[in-house]
Amino acid sequence: MTDNPPTEDAHVVVRRDGYVGRLTLNRPRALNALTHAMVRRVDAALAGWEKDPSVHAVVIDGAGERGLCAGGDIRAIYEDARTGGSASPAFWRDEYRLNARIARFPKPYVALMDGIVMGGGVGVSAHGDVRIVTERSRVAMPETGIGLVPDVGGTYLLSRAPGELGTHLALTGTAVGAADAILCGLADHFVHSARLPGLAAELADTEVPLAVRRHASAPPVGELADDREWIDACYAADSVEEIVDRLFGSGHHAAKQTAETILTKSPTALKATLAAVRGARRLGTLEEVLDEEYRASCAALRTADLVEGIRAQVIDKDRMPGWVPGELSAVTAADVADFSAVPVGGDLGLGR
């Protein structure tokens, strides 16, 4: 006799722990990837706790030991893109509204960013005001590898990283550890994973800043600080082509490897991403940026690269996508402008 499969509600465990509302993303076999139902359940819980005076803070974590959340349910987006459906825009509409709610939540929102935290996982964590990383954390916005532009407010966060670090992470999709996540403004504190249960227990009846101070320590040394010189110089260029040329010509072995990594990504997504990050720097609010990201995501849904990228990375896993077009030089200004067009069905409208 087999166990009954979990219901959609069981994919997010919502509970009270003393003065804290607890959210646990509960799809460990899928690295806690977000479904539309999970987004709605988290949003509903936050809406209730926002008005509940007995809830002093919220804590979000992920089931299992592999990570908080690996992102949105990419397989569902793949099937939707193949059939030209409308499920993905509806998912993104609710997901991005949730990201905005988290950023504006009036009580301490504590994200335990242990293990893998990518894409949509960044969206439900890095907009909080108390973001905890561990020695196991790997934080990334890897969308260019599947034909997407970083979303869930990712271009907002990355555009505000020191120098050109955010541009580097956006184009390459590089996963960073604790120290580099803190440097880039994606996290705030380092807590060793062995201390997370104690921190979580203490948060139930202790003020958040005090509990965090008791458990936080200095993170292991990162990598990006030492690479700032060539990263800032190369990524200050005005085009992806020039960025790649500067990386190849910089004389740094790591820069050459980075250029080679960039050239494996979707050329269209790369150019749209550079425009999105630069545009996000000029916009004043997260909500305005989320509006732009919604347009970009809906545009990507209409391209061949999204289906091909997910096929190569997730479905067949051959890691050999056939991008169309296959060269940066073939991506036109009009192609990039399409990512800012108002989608069929209307805009997100958060920044009004």
Side-chain angles (χ1 to χ4, degrees):
M1 183 176 179
T2 59
D3 293 335
N4 291 328
T7 65
E8 287 288 354
D9 279 355
H11 288 158
V12 179
V13 179
V14 179
R15 63 195 186 282
R16 287 287 302 275
D17 185 9
Y19 294 105
V20 168
R22 294 289 304 272
L23 295 164
T24 297
L25 306 181
N26 190 34
R27 295 182 71 206
R29 292 185 179 179
L31 271 171
N32 301 318
L34 294 170
T35 65
H36 199 165
M38 291 169 70
V39 165
R40 288 191 292 245
R41 184 158 167 80
V42 171
D43 189 71
L46 292 179
W49 287 335
E50 183 174 337
K51 300 174 183 177
D52 186 341
S54 70
V55 174
H56 295 179
V58 170
V59 177
I60 187 168
D61 63 4
E65 296 185 353
R66 297 171 63 198
L68 169 67
C69 175
D73 191 336
I74 295 299
R75 289 178 179 270
I77 294 173
Y78 172 77
E79 293 300 335
D80 190 49
R82 290 179 67 197
T83 59
S86 59
S88 296
F91 168 66
W92 289 323
R93 185 177 290 270
D94 286 343
E95 184 183 25
Y96 300 170
R97 290 181 183 278
L98 171 61
N99 302 145
R101 181 188 290 280
I102 290 168
R104 305 294 178 234
F105 198 69
K107 303 172 184 181
Y109 182 97
V110 182
L112 304 184
M113 301 168 68
D114 187 31
I116 293 174
V117 185
M118 296 185 178
V122 173
V124 296
S125 59
H127 296 299
D129 48 4
V130 184
R131 304 162 302 173
I132 308 293
V133 281
T134 76
E135 78 285 356
R136 303 188 299 199
S137 295
R138 303 300 294 167
V139 184
M141 295 298 299
E143 284 75 12
T144 56
I146 58 169
L148 274 171
V149 172
D151 63 343
V152 298
T155 61
Y156 178 88
L157 294 165
L158 294 175
S159 72
R160 285 150 175 81
E164 294 293 336
L165 292 179
T167 310
H168 169 65
L169 297 185
L171 294 184
T172 63
T174 299
V176 297
D180 290 332
I182 293 171
L183 172 63
C184 292
L186 302 173
D188 304 299
H189 307 282
F190 173 81
V191 175
H192 196 279
S193 60
R195 297 184 66 92
L196 286 182
L199 171 61
E202 200 166 318
L203 286 169
D205 57 8
T206 305
E207 292 293 326
V208 170
L210 177 58
V212 172
R213 281 199 302 271
R214 287 176 177 171
H215 293 271
S217 59
V221 176
E223 301 175 4
L224 291 181
D226 288 341
D227 292 337
R228 276 287 302 277
E229 182 179 358
W230 64 261
I231 286 175
D232 288 352
C234 294
Y235 286 93
D238 292 331
S239 69
V240 180
E241 291 96 327
E242 187 178 351
I243 288 171
V244 170
D245 287 345
R246 289 188 185 187
L247 289 168
F248 274 125
S250 72
H252 292 270
H253 179 65
K256 177 178 180 293
Q257 289 183 313
T258 297
E260 292 169 349
T261 295
I262 289 174
L263 292 177
T264 67
K265 312 298 181 181
S266 160
T268 302
L270 286 169
K271 288 199 171 184
T273 293
L274 181 62
V277 173
R278 298 282 163 84
R281 288 178 180 171
R282 297 189 292 270
L283 294 173
T285 68
L286 170 64
E287 285 81 0
E288 290 174 296
V289 175
L290 286 167
D291 283 343
E292 291 298 317
E293 290 179 352
Y294 180 72
R295 293 181 176 190
S297 294
C298 290
L301 196 66
R302 302 190 296 268
T303 70
D305 277 5
L306 180 58
V307 171
E308 177 61 8
I310 298 174
R311 179 207 64 76
Q313 297 297 328
V314 179
I315 307 301
D316 297 336
K317 300 182 181 179
D318 58 25
R319 308 292 191 267
M320 297 179 62
W323 305 121
V324 180
E327 302 291 335
L328 286 165
S329 60
V331 181
T332 68
D335 293 332
V336 176
D338 283 345
F339 282 73
S340 295
V342 176
V344 175
D347 242 334
L348 188 60
L350 275 174
R352 292 173 186 165

